[in-house]
Amino acid sequence: MVPHTIAVIGGTGPQGKGLGFRFALAGHSVLIGSRSQERATAAAEEIAARLPAGATITGKDNATAAGSAEICVLAVPFAGHDDLVTSLRDQLAGKIVVSCVNPLGFDKAGPYGLAVDGGSAAERAAALLPQSRVVGAFHHLSAVRLLADDKPLDAEDVLVCGDDKTAKQLVMDLATAVVGRPGVDAGRLRMARQLEPLTAVLISINKRYRTHAGIAVTGL
Ligand SMILES: NC(=O)c1ccc[n+]([C@@H]2O[C@H](COP(=O)([O-])OP(=O)(O)OC[C@H]3O[C@@H](n4cnc5c(N)ncnc54)[C@H](OP(=O)(O)O)[C@@H]3O)[C@@H](O)[C@H]2O)c1
């Protein structure tokens, strides 16, 4: 695949670090974004220490990272999502924006998918970013597995949804960096309404089987 410059917004968290690690390992140029330049630099250095010479990963504040990348991955909690996305609207204009955000709640009975105004986090991002092409992907990859070692997660599939065919195809190709093969086309962006809360099922399985479960699609 052609190498891309990819910003991971909220890249200091486990999911952002894990995806940044995998993208950089595959030869993409990665910008780890944070609200703090200091935290961004620390996270980028931590990941760089695990990468071969020649890999490119740098820490920047979220706005600089978003403004410098072709593809921006939103890896922030759902709480605070709208404000952050809105604040980056200018930097994200004209870009492909990938949401792996899972709006989940937890109570005594365990995890559950939150009811989201607008359908899903990915659709909210699309509504807030009219000049960006928003794609949903990477919702079901465990950060623990992403960071465990550098072997492709080839037992798992990346389900990708979006309304812009070109953007969706590019993100399906990008999934190769993580699972060793292209992502699975899961349909239009509104499928994020199903993909995001499905993560609650995985977390529930994880608790019962003491594992980090993923998704694999058969019959393709
Ligand atoms: N963890 C997983 O295994 C996993 C798997 C699949 C999908 N996801 C999804 O990926 C996203 C990130 O997950 P995570 O576990 O890495 O989350 P996290 O550690 O809670 O947050 C990631 C980063 O987001 C920034 N952040 C936190 N609160 C924020 C706010 N109110 N406004 C703006 N930025 C904020 C922080 O970076 P700075 O303080 O440096 O700005 C933080 O390090 C979530 O939406 C989650 O549902 C996670």
Side-chain angles (χ1 to χ4, degrees):
M1 186 185 185
V2 181
H4 294 286
T5 302
I6 305 171
V8 186
I9 307 304
T12 55
Q15 187 69 357
K17 279 187 201 170
L19 289 172
F21 172 58
R22 295 294 176 153
F23 295 147
L25 198 60
H28 299 291
S29 180
V30 173
L31 295 156
I32 292 289
S34 167
R35 291 168 294 180
S36 139
Q37 175 66 55
E38 201 179 358
R39 285 198 294 277
T41 302
E45 285 175 0
E46 182 189 328
I47 303 164
R50 298 184 50 185
L51 290 166
T56 316
I57 189 156
T58 320
K60 297 283 178 197
D61 65 86
N62 283 326
T64 305
S68 314
E70 315 155 58
I71 303 169
C72 299
V73 179
L74 300 174
V76 292
F78 184 56
H81 168 273
D82 288 7
D83 286 346
L84 181 71
V85 167
T86 303
S87 75
L88 297 175
R89 186 178 282 154
D90 290 347
Q91 291 84 355
L92 295 173
K95 311 276 170 75
I96 293 175
V97 174
V98 186
S99 174
C100 68
V101 175
N102 292 317
L104 300 179
F106 295 84
D107 63 16
K108 280 184 187 163
Y112 62 97
L114 296 174
V116 176
D117 271 354
S120 62
E123 289 168 284
R124 284 184 79 91
L128 294 167
L129 302 170
Q131 296 185 70
S132 306
R133 293 178 288 164
V134 176
V135 174
F138 306 115
H139 301 95
H140 309 125
L141 297 169
S142 143
V144 174
R145 284 225 199 279
L146 287 170
L147 287 163
D149 56 42
D150 59 4
K151 296 188 191 74
L153 302 183
D154 54 9
E156 301 193 30
D157 280 309
V158 174
L159 303 186
V160 185
C161 63
D163 291 338
D164 182 293
K165 281 187 182 174
T166 311
K168 182 162 62 172
Q169 185 62 56
L170 191 145
V171 176
M172 287 163 63
D173 293 342
L174 186 60
T176 307
V178 184
V179 297
R181 60 182 177 284
V184 175
D185 185 347
R188 301 290 295 255
L189 193 65
R190 70 181 185 184
M191 283 298 140
R193 298 175 196 184
Q194 276 68 45
L195 297 182
E196 293 171 2
L198 184 57
T199 306
V201 180
L202 293 176
I203 295 170
S204 187
I205 291 168
N206 289 346
K207 192 173 172 208
R208 285 160 178 78
Y209 290 81
R210 297 180 187 280
T211 187
H212 300 286
I215 297 281
V217 179
T218 63
L220 296 176

